[in-house]
PDB file of all heavy atoms in Angstrom:
ATOM      1  N   CYS S  67      12.725 141.619 162.906  1.00 91.00           N
ATOM      2  CA  CYS S  67      13.153 142.008 161.553  1.00 91.00           C
ATOM      3  C   CYS S  67      12.361 143.149 161.002  1.00 91.00           C
ATOM      4  O   CYS S  67      12.895 144.083 160.324  1.00 91.00           O
ATOM      5  CB  CYS S  67      13.071 140.801 160.646  1.00 91.00           C
ATOM      6  SG  CYS S  67      14.166 139.406 161.136  1.00 91.00           S
ATOM      7  N   THR S  68      11.047 143.156 161.235  1.00 94.00           N
ATOM      8  CA  THR S  68      10.191 144.252 160.776  1.00 94.00           C
ATOM      9  C   THR S  68      10.581 145.535 161.401  1.00 94.00           C
ATOM     10  O   THR S  68      10.742 146.596 160.722  1.00 94.00           O
ATOM     11  CB  THR S  68       8.694 143.907 161.047  1.00 94.00           C
ATOM     12  OG1 THR S  68       8.394 142.624 160.299  1.00 94.00           O
ATOM     13  CG2 THR S  68       7.828 144.968 160.561  1.00 94.00           C
ATOM     14  N   LYS S  69      10.769 145.535 162.709  1.00 93.00           N
ATOM     15  CA  LYS S  69      11.236 146.740 163.398  1.00 93.00           C
ATOM     16  C   LYS S  69      12.576 147.319 162.827  1.00 93.00           C
ATOM     17  O   LYS S  69      12.751 148.432 162.610  1.00 93.00           O
ATOM     18  CB  LYS S  69      11.368 146.530 164.901  1.00 93.00           C
ATOM     19  CG  LYS S  69      10.118 146.616 165.646  1.00 93.00           C
ATOM     20  CD  LYS S  69      10.456 146.397 167.130  1.00 93.00           C
ATOM     21  CE  LYS S  69       9.156 146.580 167.938  1.00 93.00           C
ATOM     22  NZ  LYS S  69       9.397 146.459 169.393  1.00 93.00           N
ATOM     23  N   GLN S  70      13.457 146.370 162.582  1.00 93.00           N
ATOM     24  CA  GLN S  70      14.792 146.693 162.088  1.00 93.00           C
ATOM     25  C   GLN S  70      14.646 147.390 160.767  1.00 93.00           C
ATOM     26  O   GLN S  70      15.250 148.531 160.503  1.00 93.00           O
ATOM     27  CB  GLN S  70      15.711 145.453 161.936  1.00 93.00           C
ATOM     28  CG  GLN S  70      16.998 145.662 161.313  1.00 93.00           C
ATOM     29  CD  GLN S  70      17.794 144.329 161.095  1.00 93.00           C
ATOM     30  OE1 GLN S  70      17.228 143.310 161.329  1.00 93.00           O
ATOM     31  NE2 GLN S  70      19.057 144.535 160.804  1.00 93.00           N
ATOM     32  N   LEU S  71      13.964 146.901 159.808  1.00 95.00           N
ATOM     33  CA  LEU S  71      13.817 147.433 158.522  1.00 95.00           C
ATOM     34  C   LEU S  71      12.942 148.637 158.469  1.00 95.00           C
ATOM     35  O   LEU S  71      13.159 149.644 157.648  1.00 95.00           O
ATOM     36  CB  LEU S  71      13.367 146.395 157.462  1.00 95.00           C
ATOM     37  CG  LEU S  71      14.361 145.219 157.320  1.00 95.00           C
ATOM     38  CD1 LEU S  71      13.914 144.312 156.250  1.00 95.00           C
ATOM     39  CD2 LEU S  71      15.718 145.670 157.017  1.00 95.00           C
ATOM     40  N   CYS S  72      11.911 148.726 159.338  1.00 96.00           N
ATOM     41  CA  CYS S  72      11.058 149.882 159.346  1.00 96.00           C
ATOM     42  C   CYS S  72      11.788 151.083 159.952  1.00 96.00           C
ATOM     43  O   CYS S  72      11.619 152.169 159.533  1.00 96.00           O
ATOM     44  CB  CYS S  72       9.798 149.632 160.214  1.00 96.00           C
ATOM     45  SG  CYS S  72       8.561 148.652 159.302  1.00 96.00           S
ATOM     46  N   SER S  73      12.691 150.814 160.907  1.00 95.00           N
ATOM     47  CA  SER S  73      13.532 151.889 161.461  1.00 95.00           C
ATOM     48  C   SER S  73      14.429 152.437 160.322  1.00 95.00           C
ATOM     49  O   SER S  73      14.505 153.752 160.229  1.00 95.00           O
ATOM     50  CB  SER S  73      14.488 151.311 162.578  1.00 95.00           C
ATOM     51  OG  SER S  73      15.269 152.334 163.110  1.00 95.00           O
ATOM     52  N   LEU S  74      14.971 151.594 159.519  1.00 96.00           N
ATOM     53  CA  LEU S  74      15.814 152.083 158.370  1.00 96.00           C
ATOM     54  C   LEU S  74      14.940 152.922 157.424  1.00 96.00           C
ATOM     55  O   LEU S  74      15.270 153.960 157.003  1.00 96.00           O
ATOM     56  CB  LEU S  74      16.448 150.896 157.639  1.00 96.00           C
ATOM     57  CG  LEU S  74      17.518 151.184 156.776  1.00 96.00           C
ATOM     58  CD1 LEU S  74      18.696 150.304 157.132  1.00 96.00           C
ATOM     59  CD2 LEU S  74      17.024 150.846 155.386  1.00 96.00           C
ATOM     60  N   ARG S  75      13.719 152.399 157.169  1.00 97.00           N
ATOM     61  CA  ARG S  75      12.806 153.118 156.250  1.00 97.00           C
ATOM     62  C   ARG S  75      12.480 154.427 156.862  1.00 97.00           C
ATOM     63  O   ARG S  75      12.423 155.497 156.142  1.00 97.00           O
ATOM     64  CB  ARG S  75      11.582 152.253 156.074  1.00 97.00           C
ATOM     65  CG  ARG S  75      10.487 152.930 155.271  1.00 97.00           C
ATOM     66  CD  ARG S  75       9.044 152.459 155.596  1.00 97.00           C
ATOM     67  NE  ARG S  75       8.692 152.701 157.022  1.00 97.00           N
ATOM     68  CZ  ARG S  75       7.789 152.043 157.694  1.00 97.00           C
ATOM     69  NH1 ARG S  75       7.116 151.038 157.143  1.00 97.00           N
ATOM     70  NH2 ARG S  75       7.523 152.321 158.928  1.00 97.00           N
ATOM     71  N   ASP S  76      12.127 154.524 158.155  1.00 97.00           N
ATOM     72  CA  ASP S  76      11.735 155.729 158.782  1.00 97.00           C
ATOM     73  C   ASP S  76      12.836 156.802 158.833  1.00 97.00           C
ATOM     74  O   ASP S  76      12.621 158.001 158.946  1.00 97.00           O
ATOM     75  CB  ASP S  76      11.299 155.475 160.213  1.00 97.00           C
ATOM     76  CG  ASP S  76       9.944 154.640 160.175  1.00 97.00           C
ATOM     77  OD1 ASP S  76       9.336 154.533 159.138  1.00 97.00           O
ATOM     78  OD2 ASP S  76       9.644 154.113 161.309  1.00 97.00           O
ATOM     79  N   ARG S  77      14.099 156.360 158.692  1.00 97.00           N
ATOM     80  CA  ARG S  77      15.253 157.301 158.704  1.00 97.00           C
ATOM     81  C   ARG S  77      15.912 157.326 157.262  1.00 97.00           C
ATOM     82  O   ARG S  77      17.041 157.723 157.119  1.00 97.00           O
ATOM     83  CB  ARG S  77      16.220 156.914 159.715  1.00 97.00           C
ATOM     84  CG  ARG S  77      15.635 157.131 161.151  1.00 97.00           C
ATOM     85  CD  ARG S  77      16.498 156.906 162.292  1.00 97.00           C
ATOM     86  NE  ARG S  77      17.660 157.837 162.306  1.00 97.00           N
ATOM     87  CZ  ARG S  77      18.624 157.909 163.142  1.00 97.00           C
ATOM     88  NH1 ARG S  77      18.643 156.986 164.155  1.00 97.00           N
ATOM     89  NH2 ARG S  77      19.458 158.829 163.156  1.00 97.00           N
ATOM     90  N   TRP S  78      15.141 156.896 156.333  1.00 97.00           N
ATOM     91  CA  TRP S  78      15.632 156.771 154.936  1.00 97.00           C
ATOM     92  C   TRP S  78      16.274 157.998 154.427  1.00 97.00           C
ATOM     93  O   TRP S  78      17.315 157.984 153.713  1.00 97.00           O
ATOM     94  CB  TRP S  78      14.550 156.322 153.955  1.00 97.00           C
ATOM     95  CG  TRP S  78      15.076 156.024 152.653  1.00 97.00           C
ATOM     96  CD1 TRP S  78      14.801 156.765 151.475  1.00 97.00           C
ATOM     97  CD2 TRP S  78      16.038 155.103 152.294  1.00 97.00           C
ATOM     98  NE1 TRP S  78      15.489 156.217 150.453  1.00 97.00           N
ATOM     99  CE2 TRP S  78      16.272 155.259 150.923  1.00 97.00           C
ATOM    100  CE3 TRP S  78      16.747 154.093 153.003  1.00 97.00           C
ATOM    101  CZ2 TRP S  78      17.224 154.504 150.199  1.00 97.00           C
ATOM    102  CZ3 TRP S  78      17.575 153.348 152.307  1.00 97.00           C
ATOM    103  CH2 TRP S  78      17.850 153.451 150.915  1.00 97.00           C
ATOM    104  N   GLU S  79      15.705 159.188 154.709  1.00 97.00           N
ATOM    105  CA  GLU S  79      16.330 160.439 154.159  1.00 97.00           C
ATOM    106  C   GLU S  79      17.786 160.588 154.617  1.00 97.00           C
ATOM    107  O   GLU S  79      18.586 160.955 153.903  1.00 97.00           O
ATOM    108  CB  GLU S  79      15.477 161.722 154.526  1.00 97.00           C
ATOM    109  CG  GLU S  79      15.989 162.935 153.948  1.00 97.00           C
ATOM    110  CD  GLU S  79      16.024 162.915 152.394  1.00 97.00           C
ATOM    111  OE1 GLU S  79      15.227 162.053 151.738  1.00 97.00           O
ATOM    112  OE2 GLU S  79      16.888 163.651 151.881  1.00 97.00           O
ATOM    113  N   GLU S  80      18.065 160.235 155.926  1.00 97.00           N
ATOM    114  CA  GLU S  80      19.418 160.330 156.394  1.00 97.00           C
ATOM    115  C   GLU S  80      20.291 159.352 155.705  1.00 97.00           C
ATOM    116  O   GLU S  80      21.464 159.683 155.365  1.00 97.00           O
ATOM    117  CB  GLU S  80      19.419 160.013 157.975  1.00 97.00           C
ATOM    118  CG  GLU S  80      18.750 161.048 158.772  1.00 97.00           C
ATOM    119  CD  GLU S  80      18.665 160.690 160.171  1.00 97.00           C
ATOM    120  OE1 GLU S  80      19.701 160.672 160.944  1.00 97.00           O
ATOM    121  OE2 GLU S  80      17.503 160.212 160.655  1.00 97.00           O
ATOM    122  N   TYR S  81      19.819 158.098 155.526  1.00 97.00           N
ATOM    123  CA  TYR S  81      20.621 157.085 154.780  1.00 97.00           C
ATOM    124  C   TYR S  81      20.836 157.580 153.320  1.00 97.00           C
ATOM    125  O   TYR S  81      21.957 157.439 152.807  1.00 97.00           O
ATOM    126  CB  TYR S  81      19.850 155.787 154.896  1.00 97.00           C
ATOM    127  CG  TYR S  81      20.091 155.010 156.159  1.00 97.00           C
ATOM    128  CD1 TYR S  81      19.078 155.035 157.076  1.00 97.00           C
ATOM    129  CD2 TYR S  81      21.227 154.273 156.310  1.00 97.00           C
ATOM    130  CE1 TYR S  81      19.214 154.324 158.283  1.00 97.00           C
ATOM    131  CE2 TYR S  81      21.403 153.534 157.566  1.00 97.00           C
ATOM    132  CZ  TYR S  81      20.390 153.569 158.543  1.00 97.00           C
ATOM    133  OH  TYR S  81      20.581 152.872 159.652  1.00 97.00           O
ATOM    134  N   ARG S  82      19.759 158.061 152.723  1.00 96.00           N
ATOM    135  CA  ARG S  82      19.884 158.434 151.291  1.00 96.00           C
ATOM    136  C   ARG S  82      20.917 159.566 151.089  1.00 96.00           C
ATOM    137  O   ARG S  82      21.706 159.555 150.154  1.00 96.00           O
ATOM    138  CB  ARG S  82      18.511 158.887 150.783  1.00 96.00           C
ATOM    139  CG  ARG S  82      18.466 159.124 149.265  1.00 96.00           C
ATOM    140  CD  ARG S  82      17.190 159.714 148.887  1.00 96.00           C
ATOM    141  NE  ARG S  82      17.020 161.076 149.312  1.00 96.00           N
ATOM    142  CZ  ARG S  82      17.677 162.137 148.914  1.00 96.00           C
ATOM    143  NH1 ARG S  82      18.620 162.039 147.942  1.00 96.00           N
ATOM    144  NH2 ARG S  82      17.486 163.370 149.399  1.00 96.00           N
ATOM    145  N   GLN S  83      20.945 160.500 152.073  1.00 96.00           N
ATOM    146  CA  GLN S  83      21.893 161.583 152.022  1.00 96.00           C
ATOM    147  C   GLN S  83      23.349 161.150 151.988  1.00 96.00           C
ATOM    148  O   GLN S  83      24.246 161.856 151.632  1.00 96.00           O
ATOM    149  CB  GLN S  83      21.563 162.599 153.127  1.00 96.00           C
ATOM    150  CG  GLN S  83      20.399 163.405 152.755  1.00 96.00           C
ATOM    151  CD  GLN S  83      20.114 164.372 153.922  1.00 96.00           C
ATOM    152  OE1 GLN S  83      20.808 164.637 154.803  1.00 96.00           O
ATOM    153  NE2 GLN S  83      18.923 165.091 153.771  1.00 96.00           N
ATOM    154  N   THR S  84      23.624 159.999 152.552  1.00 96.00           N
ATOM    155  CA  THR S  84      24.944 159.480 152.627  1.00 96.00           C
ATOM    156  C   THR S  84      25.553 159.057 151.241  1.00 96.00           C
ATOM    157  O   THR S  84      26.719 159.019 151.031  1.00 96.00           O
ATOM    158  CB  THR S  84      25.125 158.242 153.544  1.00 96.00           C
ATOM    159  OG1 THR S  84      24.492 157.112 152.948  1.00 96.00           O
ATOM    160  CG2 THR S  84      24.613 158.589 154.967  1.00 96.00           C
ATOM    161  N   GLY S  85      24.659 158.779 150.366  1.00 95.00           N
ATOM    162  CA  GLY S  85      25.023 158.252 149.070  1.00 95.00           C
ATOM    163  C   GLY S  85      25.347 156.803 149.016  1.00 95.00           C
ATOM    164  O   GLY S  85      25.740 156.226 147.950  1.00 95.00           O
TER     165      GLY S  85
END
Side-chain angles (χ1 to χ4, degrees):
C67 295
T68 299
K69 277 185 176 180
Q70 177 183 6
L71 297 183
C72 284
S73 176
L74 193 127
R75 176 204 63 201
D76 294 346
R77 294 187 66 180
W78 184 245
E79 186 55 30
E80 291 173 77
Y81 281 100
R82 191 189 65 71
Q83 287 178 7
T84 69

